Amino acid sequence: MNFWIVFEYLVTFFESFVTTHFVFAFNRFDFKSKKNKIIFVGASLGDGILVNVLNCFTLYEGILGIIYILYIFLITIIFLKSNIGQKLFSSVLCVLVTLFVASTTASAITAVFHDEITDIYTGFSVSRLILLLTAQTLQIIIYDAILKISDK
């Protein structure tokens, strides 16, 4: 297994931990107990596995992206104590943020590097590396801003 493949998997799992942390924090999850830490890690790993499996079958999920919302919503129903509306809202919001970040960073990188979007998503290049790092950073910034604005 080469560096890029391992790197892609690691980025996906990192993004899953960031996304799960956002959803859990938005729903005021208590991260302190050992049991809750295990729940958080398990939910994050489950999300990462789901994303990696879907990535094996398609370059862009399209309508299959609903599977992410359903997974996250199911996890919130099982493990979080907030109301159902807040659980659904945060489940949809995290996927919308991910889509927004992915599309805007991909558009910016293709404009700067004059690469084809399919080449960036399927190849292993400097532009792909910059895309991944920029997207992860931007996602963290947006999630943090939402949590601060919503006082979570």
Side-chain angles (χ1 to χ4, degrees), residues 16-149:
S16 292
F17 273 85
V18 169
T19 300
T20 304
H21 183 272
F22 166 74
V23 172
F24 279 38
F26 192 89
N27 288 279
R28 300 189 188 279
F29 183 75
D30 180 13
F31 292 92
K32 293 178 185 161
S33 75
K34 185 176 181 179
K35 175 187 170 193
N36 285 357
K37 288 176 184 175
I38 292 169
I39 290 169
F40 168 69
V41 169
S44 299
L45 290 173
D47 184 65
I49 290 167
L50 177 64
V51 172
N52 279 312
V53 167
L54 285 177
N55 285 347
C56 290
F57 296 109
T58 181
L59 180 61
Y60 179 73
E61 293 84 357
I63 194 72
L64 291 177
I66 292 173
I67 294 171
Y68 301 138
I69 296 171
L70 294 175
Y71 171 79
I72 295 165
F73 187 53
L74 180 64
I75 293 301
T76 64
I77 288 172
I78 295 169
F79 296 112
L80 305 182
K81 294 183 171 132
S82 57
N83 69 58
I84 197 81
Q86 191 166 323
K87 292 174 184 180
L88 180 59
F89 179 75
S90 62
S91 299
V92 172
L93 182 59
C94 74
V95 173
L96 291 177
V97 168
T98 300
L99 289 172
F100 170 76
V101 167
S103 62
T104 56
T105 54
S107 294
I109 296 298
T110 58
V112 170
F113 288 96
H114 307 289
D115 291 339
E116 292 292 324
I117 191 70
T118 53
D119 293 338
I120 291 176
Y121 276 122
T122 60
F124 305 111
S125 62
V126 171
S127 56
R128 176 72 178 152
L129 179 63
I130 292 170
L131 171 70
L132 291 171
L133 296 176
T134 303
Q136 297 312 306
T137 303
L138 186 57
Q139 199 164 9
I140 291 169
I141 291 168
I142 291 172
Y143 285 151
D144 187 54
I146 292 169
L147 291 172
K148 284 181 181 170
I149 290 168

